[in-house]
Amino acid sequence: MEEHKKRILLVEDDPNFGTVLKDYLMMNDYEVTHAKNGMEGFEKFKKDDFDLCILDVMMPYKDGFTLAKEIREKNTDVPIIFLTAKTMKEDVLKGYKVGADDYLNKPFDSEVLLMKIKAIIQRKATETISDSKQFEFKIGRFDLNSKLRFLKFDGGDPVKLSPKENELLRLLALHENDLMPRELALTKIWRDDNYFTSRSMDVYIAKLRKYLKPDDKVEILNIHGEGFRLVVNS
Amino acid sequence: MEEHKKRILLVEDDPNFGTVLKDYLMMNDYEVTHAKNGMEGFEKFKKDDFDLCILDVMMPYKDGFTLAKEIREKNTDVPIIFLTAKTMKEDVLKGYKVGADDYLNKPFDSEVLLMKIKAIIQRKATETISDSKQFEFKIGRFDLNSKLRFLKFDGGDPVKLSPKENELLRLLALHENDLMPRELALTKIWRDDNYFTSRSMDVYIAKLRKYLKPDDKVEILNIHGEGFRLVVNS
DNA sequence: CATTTTTGTTAATGTAAGGTTAAAAGACGA
DNA sequence: TCGTCTTTTAACCTTACATTAACAAAAATG
């Protein structure tokens, strides 16, 4: 049934603890890549596809949060678990802001970690058959390449999109002709849903509308109180 | 923006702690139903739709796990967070087995709880993939798309519906040719049944009748003192 | 039949959400 | 540190919505 072992990227600077944890996870049928610091962690992340990242927060050179941010830029979906020192509540909150899926206070119980890993991986598996793979869209007479972040009209000169512009347009494109709930964009892109992020999103909608003006068959409609809808009229 | 506040079922037997927590959550813009034990919790769960359940593990009459199992039988999707006593690792593991989404050791930090709630609710939101079936209705020569909130006559130009118009028409459509009790609409849509909401509903019925005028085979009949009936004559 | 209750309908009002532009604040590399 | 790009916040305006009031018409009540 199971095609391949789940791959975990473990970034932990303490060599003893790291090795023990790695062995423990491998004993439990995970394929583990162990990086000794944030730098190395990011290098390894770029080289491979992982099903889960476990990041220590406190590390020399590059801490877990910075690493998480870099990882998130490459991949918005991969689950991240932070290992934080006990009592460091700030770390926990900061972790969630960066888009963590969970955290564990050190020292933690290994069985609990295992449960969390299982729960998270299973959860992600049921989530939309990774829309993460889709980066190129045809939107009316436009071509959106959301990996390189540009938008071309009629194959002409590409317009550069900022990260947020890009992600928002991509989300809209993924839901073409359908509702793209406000909440979805806010939680996925802004990672927070409040008055200000919501207004910020409206600003970006205005920007996108400007970009899309050249093709009058393409428009972004609002569904009051729900979200937006990218429609391509024929 | 406010689509509607997220609803939380809080089941906690300690009256002091429960009340404080409830108030805290309400201050943070959640709608909270507080049950004092497992029994009551299940009763309340059956009566309403919740976006999240927070269950204390240790409770008289019916503990959190048993309650969670019952809830899972009714609803496989609603997120559950357990509140467990510190150090009770067994509880944590058991919780995950019952299908918990997360747990918190008591005493916990309220901000952390808030983050977890946010994270879990938004996670569920992204999982919920649109099953368009539930949202599309044929009413005589009309097509109602209650997800995108529009009503089309003979495939012509769609008329936009407001949220209340939409929900009301959808409820009527779900009961096509049958009685749609006043009380049902008021409790489901207005979440309150009093003179004013009732009058408000009448106003919406008038609006819907206007929209439906183009097809003289479609009408909304009143059943005095009972409710309304959407009929499609052949 | 007179009276009360419920419903039909239109219009007015107040509030919230969204559209848009510009300025302020952050982020980041040179 | 400066300049540039990006994002957020502010401001102002428009539109969308829901509620309430007001008055008319049916339906029930007795």
Side-chain angles (χ1 to χ4, degrees):
Chain A
M1 203 64 217
E2 196 49 42
E3 335 74 24
H4 76 91
K5 286 187 187 178
K6 298 297 178 185
R7 274 199 280 277
I8 296 179
L9 174 63
L10 169 65
V11 189
E12 164 65 62
D13 64 313
D14 179 334
N16 293 315
F17 181 65
T19 307
V20 170
L21 184 50
K22 177 181 176 181
D23 290 345
Y24 177 73
L25 290 172
M26 281 169 62
M27 269 169 40
N28 283 279
D29 248 4
Y30 293 101
E31 208 176 299
V32 183
T33 300
H34 180 198
K36 274 105 191 155
N37 61 60
M39 299 289 204
E40 195 191 329
F42 192 52
E43 289 313 309
K44 300 214 159 155
F45 179 80
K46 283 192 290 189
K47 279 214 193 72
D48 234 317
D49 281 337
F50 292 97
D51 299 290
L52 174 69
C53 301
I54 301 178
L55 314 181
D56 192 8
V57 168
M58 248 178 314
M59 286 185 302
Y61 302 124
K62 189 182 285 179
D63 69 278
F65 297 131
T66 313
L67 175 56
K69 259 190 230 163
E70 293 177 355
I71 287 177
R72 275 275 168 271
E73 271 174 35
K74 289 244 142 227
N75 185 326
T76 53
D77 292 323
V78 64
I80 297 178
I81 294 181
F82 280 115
L83 305 182
T84 73
K86 205 170 194 156
T87 73
M88 287 304 283
K89 168 185 140 190
E90 278 66 30
D91 283 2
V92 173
L93 297 181
K94 202 167 162 192
Y96 274 112
K97 281 219 179 87
V98 184
D101 285 72
D102 214 329
Y103 69 93
L104 270 172
N105 288 324
K106 288 211 259 184
F108 53 82
D109 184 275
S110 55
E111 280 187 79
V112 172
L113 171 63
L114 226 48
M115 288 308 270
K116 289 210 182 225
I117 290 176
K118 265 194 204 168
I120 287 177
I121 285 185
Q122 188 182 333
R123 176 191 304 153
K124 287 283 171 178
T126 61
E127 246 174 63
T128 339
I129 319 300
S130 60
D131 45 31
S132 53
K133 296 288 178 283
Q134 242 178 295
F135 289 105
E136 290 177 25
F137 301 88
K138 188 143 206 70
I139 306 170
R141 294 160 67 189
F142 294 99
D143 286 303
L144 167 66
N145 184 325
S146 78
K147 197 143 209 145
L148 302 175
R149 293 210 324 249
F150 66 68
L151 186 67
K152 256 195 249 184
F153 178 61
D154 274 348
D157 45 335
V159 179
K160 276 184 164 288
L161 297 181
S162 85
K164 286 244 153 68
E165 290 165 354
N166 176 55
E167 289 194 70
L168 185 55
L169 186 53
R170 174 164 174 269
L171 256 198
L172 285 164
L174 280 168
H175 296 250
E176 187 176 314
N177 283 318
D178 198 2
L179 170 68
M180 194 284 290
R182 266 192 116 77
E183 207 197 358
L184 181 71
L186 291 174
T187 55
K188 274 220 167 191
I189 301 177
W190 276 264
R191 299 196 174 282
D192 191 14
D193 181 346
N194 62 45
Y195 173 78
F196 291 108
T197 53
S198 192
R199 285 332 317 276
S200 189
M201 170 172 169
D202 289 332
V203 172
Y204 276 92
I205 289 288
K207 291 183 189 191
L208 291 182
R209 284 187 173 131
K210 252 183 218 166
Y211 288 137
L212 297 175
K213 216 160 227 169
D215 187 344
D216 54 10
K217 293 211 186 321
V218 176
E219 42 185 349
I220 297 175
L221 303 180
N222 173 253
I223 298 175
H224 199 95
E226 299 286 337
F228 294 91
R229 191 157 85 96
L230 175 68
V231 296
V232 180
N233 303 302
S234 52
Chain B
M1 181 196 114
E2 199 55 43
E3 321 154 359
H4 74 88
K5 287 185 185 175
K6 299 294 180 185
R7 277 193 282 282
I8 297 179
L9 174 63
L10 169 65
V11 189
E12 163 66 63
D13 64 313
D14 179 335
N16 292 313
F17 180 66
T19 306
V20 170
L21 184 50
K22 177 182 177 181
D23 289 347
Y24 177 72
L25 291 173
M26 282 169 60
M27 269 169 39
N28 283 280
D29 251 2
Y30 294 99
E31 209 177 297
V32 183
T33 300
H34 180 197
K36 274 105 192 156
N37 60 60
M39 298 288 205
E40 197 190 328
F42 192 54
E43 290 311 309
K44 300 212 158 155
F45 179 81
K46 284 191 291 188
K47 277 213 193 71
D48 233 317
D49 286 335
F50 293 98
D51 298 291
L52 174 69
C53 301
I54 301 178
L55 314 182
D56 191 9
V57 167
M58 250 180 310
M59 286 186 300
Y61 301 125
K62 189 183 287 180
D63 69 280
F65 297 131
T66 314
L67 174 57
K69 261 188 229 161
E70 293 178 356
I71 287 178
R72 275 276 168 272
E73 275 172 31
K74 288 236 138 232
N75 184 326
T76 53
D77 293 325
V78 63
I80 297 178
I81 294 181
F82 280 114
L83 306 181
T84 73
K86 201 168 194 157
T87 73
M88 288 303 283
K89 167 186 141 193
E90 281 68 29
D91 281 3
V92 173
L93 297 181
K94 201 167 163 191
Y96 274 112
K97 281 213 182 94
V98 183
D101 286 74
D102 215 328
Y103 70 92
L104 270 173
N105 288 324
K106 289 211 256 186
F108 54 81
D109 183 275
S110 54
E111 280 188 81
V112 172
L113 172 63
L114 224 49
M115 290 307 268
K116 290 212 180 222
I117 289 175
K118 269 195 195 173
I120 287 177
I121 285 184
Q122 76 184 47
R123 177 190 302 155
K124 288 285 168 179
T126 60
E127 276 178 38
T128 310
I129 314 160
S130 45
D131 13 69
S132 56
K133 310 283 182 286
Q134 284 267 63
F135 296 101
E136 291 174 18
F137 300 88
K138 190 143 204 69
I139 306 170
R141 294 161 68 190
F142 294 99
D143 286 304
L144 167 66
N145 184 325
S146 85
K147 183 181 176 196
L148 301 178
R149 285 204 336 236
F150 65 68
L151 186 66
K152 259 196 245 185
F153 178 61
D154 275 347
D157 286 342
V159 178
K160 286 195 187 194
L161 299 181
S162 87
K164 288 248 152 72
E165 291 165 356
N166 176 56
E167 289 193 72
L168 185 56
L169 185 53
R170 175 161 173 275
L171 255 199
L172 285 164
L174 281 169
H175 296 249
E176 188 175 313
N177 286 317
D178 199 1
L179 170 67
M180 194 282 291
R182 258 196 125 75
E183 201 207 338
L184 181 71
L186 290 174
T187 53
K188 280 240 168 196
I189 302 176
W190 275 264
R191 315 216 117 253
D192 190 13
D193 181 348
N194 62 45
Y195 172 77
F196 292 108
T197 54
S198 190
R199 286 330 321 276
S200 191
M201 171 172 168
D202 290 331
V203 171
Y204 277 93
I205 290 287
K207 291 182 187 189
L208 290 182
R209 283 184 174 133
K210 246 186 224 168
Y211 289 137
L212 296 174
K213 219 161 225 167
D215 187 344
D216 53 12
K217 293 209 186 324
V218 176
E219 41 186 348
I220 298 175
L221 303 180
N222 173 253
I223 298 171
H224 201 91
E226 301 287 335
F228 295 91
R229 196 156 84 92
L230 175 68
V231 295
V232 179
N233 303 303
S234 52

